[in-house]
């Protein structure tokens, strides 16, 4: 097994001698159309090595030839490629003598398969061929994964032919709650691309640097214009498209919380839903959409949000204008937004849920220039539900996109790491469904909280495991899920299957968060993420015990004055209190690697708030706080 993510489509290990990577090499890059990004990535992959650029011999496509240089003994200043040396040739390498050139026949298997590549490794080096620049880049990422697995030693002679099943393979930055420092967001784009992700959906909310409505901009944590431009530059550099998400109907708490705008609420109680009938609403929302689109000139899409508009059509004006029909009100306003954004050259996307049960006569009025992004995160019937919705939208000429989740509500407000049983099941069901329905865009939604007035679910850095499972399945819908955990542990953490199973015995796909903290002494790569998960595990152990303290308090109420009951209560309180307090500074220290201090402190406080409150109230009342000694 080659521990590659995504798992390639076709792998053939040959009987040729392996390549001893790590020696001196020369690189010849042939490009049908010049792309300075490829030159940059070749130089980063092989620092200090010469990169020669040429036009492809076959007149089309892209190729990268990496050949080992062999010094010819006894001939001062003479060198050759290893292929020449093994054949007895003693000529100076000039970039023209190699026979490892792409031909039309070599690339025929990639016709119609955008971003595909062919990688061949032999004793003399490697050659990557592709029909487009992203394909060559992804072939290079596979080669770099092989190098990291073999630590600069012998890489087996192998032939890989590979291409994506999904056109848009999307990760998600949700900036509504706690999120990573801007420099880390930029770094994560590069990391995404190593696993062949080619788009990221970003919900900025109040972290977007609005210029027209400065009151909507978060005073501490909004991105600056410079940071936004750096994010976009990094995305472009790594063949990633940014899809901005601007909520346009619901989840507008950060707007409607302001006294100057609360009159636009659908009802006084609906803190996040805007009234589509109010004459100021369209101007406000389209103004925000215009700013968002102007700030992302390279994006083909704009996501309008429009999910969970719970109080839709409840105000008197909406009931009168739309006859009390919620879907009619929704589609009427959505069509205006579709017209606004489509007329500016973008394809608008909306979440599907408000039209889930839409009467056919109302749905038929929906503007087909849009795309419905179906998000279903739970349940065992993803295929049936998505198929029904897909047929309904496609019958009207509306494109369908898919959105499983790597973190969502899962009936657990505090998710120190994702509820992984639900997430793996959701991702696997969606991969099968996407293949059957040929869904071309799949987004791994990664929510930081239920909405902006809530508390954070968890930390982004604990979600790499399900994110890379999504990357695996979006690229190769038939990737072997049974081997994923072994491939992830070896590639992401440097723990070989032999080491992992010798240490733990059997484990499977859903067990990552239960095992990584047990074997973190074996972690060679991304140790900080493993340690973060270990801290969150220790916190959960301590707080799960603390949640049971009420049982002992109840018994003390039943048997007041009983010394055994008091000792039992005191023992459990002391153990739980000490366990929590031991974790608190470790959690903060770990989070400061990823988040600004006030944001990290906010996350820690959100975890400890209930327990600190009980310390000030119930435990104080019981006399426990002063009885630890």
């Amino acid at each position: 097994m080659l521990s590659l993510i995504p798992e390639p489509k076709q792998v053939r290990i040959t009987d040729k001698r392996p390549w001893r990577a790590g020696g001196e090499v020369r690189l010849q890059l042939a490009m049908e159309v010049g792309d300075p990004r490829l030159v940059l990535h070749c130089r980063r992959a092989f620092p200090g090595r010469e990169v020669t650029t040429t036009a492809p011999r076959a007149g089309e496509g892209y190729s990268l030839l990496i050949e080992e240089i062999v010094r010819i003994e006894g001939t001062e200043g003479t060198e050759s490629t290893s292929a020449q040396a093994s054949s007895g040739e003693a000529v100076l390498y000039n970039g023209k003598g190699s026979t490892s050139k792409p031909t039309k026949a070599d690339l025929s298997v990639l016709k119609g398969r955008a971003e595909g590549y062919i990688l061949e490794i032999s004793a003399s080096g490697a050659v990557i061929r592709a029909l487009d620049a992203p394909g060559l880049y992804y072939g290079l990422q596979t080669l770099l994964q092989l190098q990291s697995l073999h630590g600069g030693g012998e890489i087996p002679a192998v032939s890989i032919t590979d291409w994506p099943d999904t056109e848009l393979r999307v990760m998600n930055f949700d900036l509504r709650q706690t999120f990573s420092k801007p420099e880390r967001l930029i770094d994560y784009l590069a990391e995404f691309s190593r696993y062949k992700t080619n788009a990221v959906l970003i919900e900025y909310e109040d972290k977007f640097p609005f210029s027209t409505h400065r009151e909507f901009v978060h005073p501490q944590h909004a991105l600056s214009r410079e940071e936004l431009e750096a994010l976009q530059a990094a995305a472009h550099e790594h063949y990633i498209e940014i899809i901005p998400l601007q909520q346009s109907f619901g989840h507008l708490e950060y707007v409607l919380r302001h006294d100057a705008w609360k009159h636009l609420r659908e009802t006084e109680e609906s803190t996040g839903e805007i009234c589509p009938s109010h004459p100021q609403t369209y101007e406000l929302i389209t103004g925000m959409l215009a700013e968002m689109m102007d700030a992302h000139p390279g994006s083909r899409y704009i996501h309008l949000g429009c999910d969970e508009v719970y109080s839709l059509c409840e105000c008197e004006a909406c009931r009168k204008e739309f006859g009390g029909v919620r879907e009619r009100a929704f589609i009427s306003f959505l069509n205006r937004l579709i017209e606004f954004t489509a007329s500016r050259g973008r394809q608008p996307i909306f979440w599907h849920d408000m039209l889930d049960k839409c009467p056919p006569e109302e749905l038929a009025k929906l503007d087909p220039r849009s795309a419905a992004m179906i998000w279903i995160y739970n349940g065992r019937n993803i295929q049936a539900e998505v198929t029904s919705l897909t047929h309904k939208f496609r019958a009207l000429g509306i494109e369908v996109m898919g959105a499983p989740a790597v973190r969502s509500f899962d009936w657990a407000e505090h998710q120190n790491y994702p509820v992984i049983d639900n997430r793996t099941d959701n991702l696997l069901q969606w991969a099968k469904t996407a293949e059957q329905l040929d869904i071309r865009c799949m987004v791994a939604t990664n929510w930081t909280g239920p909405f902006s007035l809530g508390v954070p679910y968890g930390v982004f850095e604990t979600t790499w495991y399900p994110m890379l499972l999504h990357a695996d399945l979006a690229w190769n819908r038939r990737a072997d899920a049974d081997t994923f955990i072994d491939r992830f542990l070896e590639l992401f953490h440097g723990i070989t299957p032999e080491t992992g199973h010798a240490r733990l015995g059997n484990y499977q796909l859903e067990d990552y968060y239960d095992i990584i903290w047990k074997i973190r002494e074996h972690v060679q790569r991304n140790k900080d993420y493993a340690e973060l998960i270990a801290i969150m595990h220790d916190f959960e152990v301590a707080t799960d015990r603390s949640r049971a303290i009420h049982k002992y308090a109840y018994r003390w109420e039943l048997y007041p004055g009983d010394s055994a009951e008091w000792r039992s209560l005191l023992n459990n309180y002391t153990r739980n209190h000490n366990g929590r307090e031991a974790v608190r500074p470790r959690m903060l220290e770990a989070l400061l690697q990823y988040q600004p201090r006030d944001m990290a402190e906010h996350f820690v406080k959100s975890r400890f708030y209930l327990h600190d409150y009980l310390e000030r109230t119930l435990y104080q009342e019981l006399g426990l706080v002063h009885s630890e000694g």
Side-chain angles (χ1 to χ4, degrees):
M1 179 186 73
L2 296 177
S3 293
L4 300 173
I5 300 175
E7 185 176 45
K9 292 288 199 311
Q10 299 175 5
V11 178
R12 183 172 61 88
I13 298 185
T14 70
D15 57 1
K16 298 178 181 177
R17 288 186 296 113
W19 177 29
R20 293 182 176 274
E24 189 174 356
V25 295
R26 280 177 171 158
L27 290 79
Q28 182 172 319
L29 175 63
M31 298 180 284
E32 180 180 338
V33 177
D35 189 335
R37 292 174 293 183
L38 290 178
V39 180
L40 175 66
H41 290 301
C42 287
R43 287 176 174 157
R44 284 179 179 166
F46 297 92
R49 302 296 187 257
E50 177 186 349
V51 180
T52 303
T53 59
T54 67
R57 176 179 293 181
E60 66 174 352
Y62 297 74
S63 68
L64 175 62
L65 177 64
I66 306 162
E67 288 192 300
E68 184 180 0
I69 296 174
V70 177
R71 303 291 175 180
I72 306 300
E73 294 184 9
T75 309
E76 185 177 354
T78 302
E79 58 187 31
S80 72
T81 65
S82 59
Q84 293 168 333
S86 63
S87 65
E89 297 179 21
V91 298
L92 183 65
Y93 176 82
N94 60 12
K96 299 179 181 179
S98 173
T99 59
S100 298
K101 298 290 185 178
T103 66
K104 291 184 178 180
D106 290 328
L107 297 173
S108 61
V109 69
L110 300 180
K111 291 290 187 181
R113 291 167 168 168
E115 301 183 346
Y117 65 91
I118 297 170
L119 167 63
E120 294 175 318
I121 298 175
S122 64
S124 58
V127 61
I128 306 169
R129 302 174 175 88
L131 285 174
D132 51 42
L136 191 76
Y137 176 72
Y138 295 138
L140 178 60
Q141 302 317 301
T142 299
L143 176 61
L144 293 176
Q145 286 190 16
L146 287 168
Q147 284 187 314
S148 71
L149 289 169
H150 295 276
E154 292 187 347
I155 299 177
V158 66
S159 176
I160 295 175
T161 302
D162 200 15
W163 63 89
D165 287 329
T166 310
E167 181 181 332
L168 277 174
R169 307 170 299 280
V170 192
M171 296 297 182
N172 177 209
F173 285 155
D174 173 17
L175 308 188
R176 295 175 302 162
Q177 285 282 344
T178 57
F179 62 93
S180 308
K181 298 173 183 177
E183 59 268 27
R184 281 197 169 264
L185 296 178
I186 290 170
D187 290 343
Y188 294 157
L189 293 176
E191 192 71 10
F192 290 162
S193 75
R194 294 186 184 106
Y195 302 98
K196 304 179 177 63
T197 290
N198 65 354
V200 60
L201 175 68
I202 305 181
E203 182 165 3
Y204 296 94
E205 202 177 67
D206 58 351
K207 313 313 182 301
F208 182 79
F210 291 105
S211 57
T212 303
H213 295 287
R214 295 297 300 170
E215 68 271 28
F216 300 158
V217 179
H218 194 284
Q220 285 86 39
H221 299 302
L223 301 179
S224 68
R225 286 286 170 177
E226 293 74 21
E227 288 168 337
L228 186 62
E229 290 171 4
L231 194 69
Q232 294 178 14
H236 175 73
E237 182 180 302
H238 292 92
Y239 299 95
I240 286 177
E241 178 173 4
I242 292 178
I243 303 173
L245 191 159
Q246 173 57 57
Q247 287 287 357
S248 307
F249 220 149
H251 290 293
L252 286 167
E253 292 86 1
Y254 75 103
V255 172
L256 300 177
R257 69 187 302 165
H258 295 281
D259 289 341
W261 298 102
K262 63 189 300 184
H263 66 283
L264 295 185
R265 295 178 185 177
E266 178 68 12
T267 68
E268 172 62 26
E269 296 78 18
S270 58
T271 56
E273 293 93 54
I274 202 163
C275 174
S277 299
H278 197 290
Q280 282 184 269
T281 293
Y282 178 78
E283 180 182 358
L284 172 65
I285 296 300
T286 54
M288 296 170 74
L289 287 169
E291 275 205 56
M292 191 67 71
M293 289 187 290
D294 289 346
H296 298 83
S299 300
R300 294 173 293 171
Y301 305 93
I302 177 73
H303 201 307
L304 306 174
C306 299
D307 59 314
E308 300 180 325
V309 192
Y310 295 124
S311 61
L312 181 63
C313 209
E314 290 185 4
C315 77
E316 183 177 350
C318 284
R319 288 199 303 270
K320 181 178 180 180
E321 182 172 351
F322 302 109
V325 180
R326 289 162 55 86
E327 291 86 0
R328 186 178 301 164
F330 183 84
I331 289 174
S332 174
F333 188 61
L334 177 57
N335 278 345
R336 296 176 71 190
L337 301 182
I338 292 171
E339 166 59 29
F340 178 80
T341 51
S343 66
R344 286 158 176 78
R346 307 299 174 91
Q347 182 176 11
I349 304 168
F350 64 91
W351 297 117
H352 87 284
D353 57 293
M354 295 306 298
L355 299 177
D356 193 6
K357 303 292 192 291
C358 184
E361 65 273 14
E362 298 296 338
L363 189 62
K365 301 172 185 176
L366 183 59
D367 191 327
R369 291 176 291 177
S370 57
M373 185 169 283
I374 299 172
W375 63 278
I376 301 178
Y377 297 156
N378 297 95
R380 304 296 184 189
N381 300 301
I382 301 295
Q383 180 179 342
E385 294 176 31
V386 174
T387 298
S388 175
L389 290 165
T390 298
H391 291 338
K392 183 165 64 173
F393 284 118
R394 285 179 174 173
L396 299 173
I398 296 168
E399 182 179 358
V400 167
M401 299 174 172
V406 299
R407 191 200 309 267
S408 65
F409 174 58
D410 278 329
W411 297 274
E413 284 284 353
H414 286 182
Q415 298 176 32
N416 302 299
Y417 30 77
V419 182
I420 195 61
D421 287 9
N422 291 353
R423 297 305 99 230
T424 54
D425 180 67
N426 188 239
L427 290 165
L428 291 171
Q429 286 192 68
W430 262 107
K432 182 178 180 180
T433 302
E435 180 177 32
Q436 293 177 340
L437 297 174
D438 193 24
I439 296 176
R440 73 178 192 92
C441 171
M442 293 291 289
V443 181
T445 56
N446 193 344
W447 302 118
T448 60
F451 64 118
S452 60
L453 298 183
V455 296
Y457 285 152
V459 181
F460 180 85
E461 285 76 11
T462 65
T463 63
W464 282 105
Y465 184 72
M467 281 197 294
L468 296 198
L469 178 59
H470 168 76
D472 200 41
L473 295 169
W475 181 274
N476 183 354
R477 290 167 180 161
R478 298 188 181 185
D480 187 355
D482 290 338
T483 65
F484 177 78
I485 189 167
D486 280 329
R487 288 186 282 126
F488 180 90
L489 287 174
E490 184 168 15
L491 184 62
F492 196 77
H493 286 309
I495 301 174
T496 66
E498 294 76 16
T499 299
H501 289 286
R503 176 71 172 77
L504 298 171
N506 294 326
Y507 49 80
Q508 58 190 21
L509 179 65
E510 301 86 1
D511 295 338
Y512 172 71
Y513 294 103
D514 289 332
I515 66 173
I516 187 59
W517 58 271
K518 298 175 183 176
I519 54 175
R520 64 186 186 273
E521 72 273 13
H522 298 288
V523 170
Q524 304 298 316
R525 291 189 284 271
N526 296 307
K527 291 183 179 182
D528 55 329
Y529 299 148
E531 181 60 29
L532 177 62
I533 291 168
I535 291 168
M536 295 302 178
H537 169 267
D538 291 347
F539 169 77
E540 290 199 342
V541 169
T543 54
D544 282 346
R545 288 172 175 167
S546 294
R547 292 186 186 100
I549 198 72
H550 71 278
K551 295 187 297 186
Y552 304 101
Y554 169 65
R555 289 191 60 86
W556 175 242
E557 186 173 306
L558 285 177
Y559 304 103
D562 187 291
S563 61
E565 295 289 348
W566 175 255
R567 174 49 59 187
S568 175
L569 172 59
L570 181 59
N571 288 349
N572 279 280
Y573 165 78
T574 302
R575 181 187 64 181
N576 301 345
H577 171 84
N578 292 344
R580 290 196 316 272
E581 292 309 308
V583 170
R584 192 191 302 252
R586 292 171 58 211
M587 184 184 292
L588 179 60
E589 182 181 7
L591 291 179
L592 288 174
Q593 300 174 82
Y594 314 114
Q595 300 174 354
R597 173 169 288 276
D598 61 336
M599 194 177 288
E601 290 173 344
H602 161 59
F603 183 90
V604 173
K605 187 173 183 179
S606 76
R607 272 17 189 195
F608 284 85
Y609 180 82
L610 174 60
H611 307 289
D612 291 344
Y613 176 78
L614 291 174
E615 290 281 348
R616 298 192 303 270
T617 55
L618 176 62
Y619 303 158
Q620 187 83 29
E621 179 184 332
L622 291 171
L624 292 168
V625 174
H626 300 297
S627 301
E628 293 181 61

